Amino acid sequence: MTALNFKGKEFVYNHHLAVPFRPLVPEETKGIGPVALDGNLIVHGDNLHALKALLPLYAGKVDCIFIDPPYNTGNEGWAYSDNVNAPMIREWLESNPIGVEDGLRHDKWCAMMWPRIRLLHEMLSDNGSIWITLDDNEVHHARSMLDEIFGENSFIGQLAWQKRTSRENRAVLSPSFDHILLYSKALKDTWKLRRNLLAPTEGGYANPDKDPRGDWASIPFTAQGFRKDQVYEITTPTGIKHRPPKGRCWGATEPEFERLKSENMVYWPKKGDGKPRIKQFPENAKGLVPMTFWSASEVGTTEESKKKLLEIFSDYEESDLVIHAPKTIALIERIIAIATKSDSIILDSFAGSGTTAHAVLSANERDGGERRFILVEMEDYADRLTAERMRRVIQGYEFKGVQKTELLRQSLSWAKIKKFNKIIHNIDTIENLHAHEYDYVTKEIRDGDLIVTGEKSYIDQMEGLGGKFTYCTLGDAVELDKVLSGETLPPYVGLGAALFHMATNYAFDPAAVREDDFYLGATKSQHVWLIYKADLDWLKSPEAALTLARAKAFAASDTDKHHLVFAPARFVSQKMLAEQNVPVEFVPLPFALYRMDRS
């Protein structure tokens, strides 16, 4: 495999290990519902530090990651500031924000993304998947990076999303799609068994013939290949005779087809003239394998997503909505439909306007699921835009809109333009007849068509989707070497989360903590204890030491497992513990317990 090389790689290769843990600090007034770090989360802070803060709680638990990182077109104005202090790269890090004229902008993008991808990899469950949207600027670098971090065999596919249908005449080539890179911790064949198929008809069920069995969709009554007993003539109710298309046969034998007709399972399109199709009810529908091209007609465009954002924030000035091109709800809902279960956790560490959380709530509302979202946003709009969108979507919101009614559409040709007086007369007539029905009438020429539209402003109320979330910021770094000096004294759970994850590589469960008897939690093979209080005098007292009696008490709680004890001091040697068959291992505080890189 060809490795990705970029300036500064050697300094950021394991930088994610050196990033200090910071506790999540809930701000109760900015969320909805009681504080719950195991529920929906919106975290405001640098996403590298936020991912490290989330890691003790969610390592190996996230089923789906969707991120929309900076595309690095040279116009974003984002800056790389991960505080990598190596003198050799300080100079080029300090040339932020990067611009299109910066010859090192691709190196900087890679240096910014590398430690974040490393942490995101740790967050994924064994069968979890990561979906990354990019354009042509960095997609090739991203694939090389993901190949190196995840492994080439974890590459699932590269998809194309048709993000726009209008033509950009100022461009060399009018960009119409974005890439979506898809990787999984599982190998491709394993992930295939875990992923979901798409609904065969999304929103296509109806009941035009009042079938008592309910809504249905129709599927073709043909099959590939040639089977002699499935090639025969079919006569429609209107008398039209049909044979299978060349190279195909009917989907069943003639007796089977007659049975389907008798059971009212055959639909005749084109008012009875068309080739037969078979009714398919939702409970009998087979799913579809996702394709690598997702059209705008299926999952929407950036223009539609902007309109949705303007609807939700109809009381904001458009300039306040700083998101350049938000992704559509339908796009992320499709990813959720493929990649998650009804109780999965979905993470977006470049949250922007919060479309991912909106899509999660929408999916839950549709199928009754209990999926959870985790959003991370580092910009200052995390509260007023990202979290505010969730408040409105959950509780409902009033929006001001414009209802548009097309009054005239006429294709223009030179012959018609020469008769412009007639065209003007037609427009005047329409305005005279309908102007009183609308606030204003607009005229425009678009794609060679003259379009006259009546527009009427209105105020409506959008019903909320329901749900809760906790809003958090990041606390001071948990720097273990400063604990006993008193410079930093993190709360018990904050310090315990960092120590538990670093020592075990398992996610920390706050519900398992018993602070009164210094218990942090357990893995399959060991229990973890932390003798600690956020009190400098107590930490320096004999009460903070591991004694033989305390070690025996810890071990007695479960004699079948090993016990790991963090403490500022001890009054018993490891040798004595071994001699007395006490399965306890002492780890001193402060202790920089960085796990060895296992990649």
Side-chain angles (χ1 to χ4, degrees), residues 76-384:
E76 285 94 347
W78 60 270
Y80 177 76
S81 57
D82 285 345
N83 196 28
V84 179
N85 291 315
M88 292 176 64
I89 60 170
R90 178 183 294 278
E91 181 178 347
W92 64 271
L93 288 181
E94 290 178 349
S95 63
N96 297 321
I98 64 172
V100 71
E101 74 288 345
D102 187 345
L104 291 173
R105 67 188 182 96
H106 297 293
D107 298 80
K108 293 178 181 180
W109 188 89
C110 291
M112 182 274 294
M113 290 297 295
W114 182 276
R116 289 164 170 80
I117 296 294
R118 295 290 297 268
L119 288 172
L120 289 170
H121 180 266
E122 291 196 42
M123 301 286 278
L124 276 179
S125 64
D126 289 341
N127 296 309
S129 56
I130 183 169
W131 307 65
I132 305 177
T133 54
L134 288 165
D135 68 3
D136 291 338
N137 281 282
E138 298 292 354
V139 68
H140 52 304
H141 292 136
R143 272 198 67 166
S144 295
M145 185 183 303
L146 290 159
D147 281 348
E148 194 166 342
I149 294 173
F150 279 76
E152 287 181 326
N153 292 330
S154 290
F155 171 68
I156 306 298
Q158 184 165 333
L159 300 86
W161 164 47
Q162 187 184 17
K163 65 180 179 181
R164 63 183 297 169
T165 55
S166 58
R167 194 178 302 276
E168 175 52 82
N169 290 318
R170 296 169 297 179
V172 177
L173 293 171
S174 181
S176 58
F177 69 92
D178 275 351
H179 306 275
I180 305 176
L181 296 180
L182 169 56
Y183 281 72
S184 173
K185 268 190 174 178
L187 301 182
K188 182 180 290 189
D189 288 344
T190 303
W191 192 78
K192 177 184 176 182
L193 299 174
R194 300 289 189 269
R195 63 97 166 92
N196 303 312
L197 298 173
L198 291 173
T201 52
E202 297 183 6
Y205 291 100
N207 194 1
D209 63 349
K210 304 289 190 293
D211 192 311
R213 292 167 292 190
D215 291 354
W216 51 270
S218 68
I219 58 174
F221 182 60
T222 61
Q224 283 185 326
F226 176 83
R227 300 177 185 86
K228 187 175 180 179
D229 60 349
Q230 289 177 220
V231 177
Y232 49 90
E233 191 173 80
I234 289 179
T235 303
T236 73
T238 58
I240 304 296
K241 298 183 183 299
H242 290 295
R243 293 186 68 80
K246 187 176 181 179
R248 298 182 71 85
C249 58
W250 295 123
T253 62
E254 191 167 9
E256 176 67 9
F257 176 69
E258 292 299 325
R259 184 187 66 80
L260 290 170
K261 279 203 305 183
S262 69
E263 295 177 359
N264 190 24
M265 290 294 291
V266 177
Y267 165 64
W268 305 92
K270 298 182 180 179
K271 298 182 179 180
D273 290 344
K275 293 177 181 178
R277 296 174 66 87
I278 303 301
K279 289 183 179 181
Q280 188 173 68
F281 295 93
E283 60 271 20
N284 301 321
K286 295 181 179 179
L288 301 176
V289 173
M291 299 182 73
T292 56
F293 177 72
W294 294 2
S295 69
S297 62
E298 295 173 328
V299 295
T301 65
T302 53
E303 189 62 32
E304 292 172 33
S305 60
K306 288 179 187 176
K307 289 179 180 178
K308 184 65 178 179
L309 202 58
L310 287 169
E311 175 192 295
I312 297 171
F313 292 98
S314 60
D315 55 329
Y316 280 35
E317 295 294 329
E318 188 169 350
S319 58
D320 293 332
L321 303 177
V322 294
I323 305 300
H324 171 60
K327 299 301 175 277
T328 67
I329 298 169
L331 173 75
I332 302 177
E333 274 198 273
R334 172 169 286 193
I335 291 172
I336 289 170
I338 295 168
T340 75
K341 303 183 287 293
S342 62
D343 60 350
S344 288
I345 298 172
I346 296 94
L347 168 66
D348 183 348
S349 57
F350 292 88
S353 66
T355 307
T356 297
H358 193 159
V360 170
L361 294 177
S362 179
N364 285 345
E365 196 269 342
R366 185 179 62 254
D367 64 12
E370 296 181 352
R371 302 171 189 85
R372 289 174 283 160
F373 63 78
I374 301 173
L375 301 187
V376 179
E377 180 50 56
M378 66 187 299
E379 299 293 341
D380 58 6
Y381 54 72
D383 180 20
R384 65 178 175 83

